[in-house]
């Protein structure tokens, strides 16, 4: 109940949460009531889990991968039916939020389990492709298009630019960061939730 309330407050649609619970992609930990996002392999075996604290008054919520997690199998929402398009996000919350905002399950949605970006202005000679993305594309040769839905901040923009450069020779690339600078899809879903609640109260 605590995690349901937390995600709904974050703007995630109840039907999205319930679908993840039924699929075994999400649950609430018994000890600290963390939200646990699960990544599975093609046989349905859990191979990855990410913990996110639900104590909303904390300035920096608890976040951690479960020891032994395999980042090749990060949290991923499958489409309804066949799909040749993949959308990638920094974290599971943004994955759920964008699905809530769009309301369509016509593509794969993959959390990268975080991204790497150097300090602003630092020189970088080599970009390491995200392990979660590389592994997913290896397992899904049918993918033809990648939609980049990272956060609209310096790390997200830097990673988006390098992901696009690394994959544009093999895939159609569509960069779809939130329009407002400093924002992510979790922020947008939460804002829409607050607006809808205000309208109901009026």
């Amino acid at each position: 109940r605590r995690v349901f309330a937390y995600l709904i407050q974050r703007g995630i649609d109840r039907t999205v949460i319930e679908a993840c619970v039924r699929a075994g992609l999400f649950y609430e930990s018994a000890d600290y009531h963390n939200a646990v996002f699960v990544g599975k392999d093609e046989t349905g075996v859990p191979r990855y889990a990410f913990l996110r604290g639900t104590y909303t008054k904390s300035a920096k919520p608890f976040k951690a991968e479960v020891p032994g997690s395999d980042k090749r199998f990060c949290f991923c929402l499958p489409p309804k039916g066949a799909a040749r398009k993949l959308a990638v996000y920094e974290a599971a919350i943004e994955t759920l939020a964008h699905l809530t905002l769009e309301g369509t399950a016509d593509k794969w949605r993959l959390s990268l389990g975080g991204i790497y970006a150097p300090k602003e202005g630092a020189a970088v000679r080599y970009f390491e492709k995200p392990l979660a993305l590389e592994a997913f594309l290896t397992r899904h040769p049918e993918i033809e298009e990648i939609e980049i839905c990272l956060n609209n901040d310096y790390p997200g923009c830097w990673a988006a630019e390098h992901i696009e450069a690394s994959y544009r020779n093999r895939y159609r690339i569509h960069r779809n960061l939130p329009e407002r600078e400093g924002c992510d899809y979790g922020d947008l879903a939460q804002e829409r939730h607050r607006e809808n609640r205000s309208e109901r109260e009026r």
Side-chain angles (χ1 to χ4, degrees), residues 6-184:
Y6 167 74
L7 289 179
I8 289 172
Q9 180 185 359
R10 291 294 307 268
I12 310 302
D13 190 90
R14 181 179 290 274
T15 59
V16 171
I17 304 170
E18 291 172 345
C20 287
V21 171
R22 287 194 301 270
L25 298 175
F26 169 77
Y27 66 93
E28 179 178 329
S29 67
D31 45 8
Y32 297 107
H33 302 282
N34 291 313
V36 185
F37 301 95
V38 179
K40 297 183 177 183
D41 63 19
E42 274 59 42
T43 65
V45 175
R47 301 283 295 275
Y48 175 90
F50 183 83
L51 305 174
R52 186 182 179 99
T54 58
Y55 186 61
T56 56
K57 293 184 180 180
S58 173
K60 294 188 68 175
F62 172 74
K63 300 177 185 179
E65 291 180 342
V66 172
S69 288
D70 187 341
K71 222 170 186 115
R72 294 174 300 170
F73 300 93
C74 277
F75 180 77
C76 183
L77 299 177
K80 287 185 178 179
R84 298 182 182 277
K85 185 175 182 178
L86 168 68
V88 295
Y89 307 84
E90 293 185 29
I93 285 283
E94 285 99 57
T95 309
L96 297 174
H98 201 208
L99 173 57
T100 295
L101 291 167
E102 291 192 326
T104 57
D106 58 349
K107 56 192 169 190
W108 292 91
R109 297 177 189 264
L110 174 69
S111 164
L112 300 179
I115 58 167
Y116 163 78
K119 290 184 179 180
E120 196 164 357
V124 178
R125 295 182 179 178
Y126 176 74
F127 172 70
E128 187 171 346
K129 296 177 182 177
L131 180 58
L133 178 56
E134 276 287 275
F136 181 92
L137 293 173
T138 299
R139 299 194 302 270
H140 293 272
E142 76 278 9
I143 296 298
E144 297 176 351
E145 181 178 355
I146 299 173
E147 180 182 358
I148 304 173
C149 304
L150 305 184
N151 303 354
N152 189 355
D153 54 15
Y154 169 73
C157 292
W158 186 92
E161 178 183 344
H162 285 78
I163 289 173
E164 181 174 1
S166 298
Y167 291 97
R168 63 189 172 200
N169 290 334
R170 291 171 17 193
Y171 302 94
R172 295 193 304 274
I173 305 293
H174 173 49
R175 206 186 298 194
N176 187 20
L177 279 61
E179 291 184 4
R180 194 167 74 244
E181 187 176 353
C183 197
D184 62 45

Side-chain angles (χ1 to χ4, degrees), residues 190-200 202:
Q190 195 168 17
E191 288 174 7
R192 191 174 77 171
H193 173 71
R194 286 197 295 262
E195 291 169 359
N196 291 341
R197 186 173 59 187
S198 296
E199 289 178 5
R200 289 194 300 269
R202 285 198 298 267

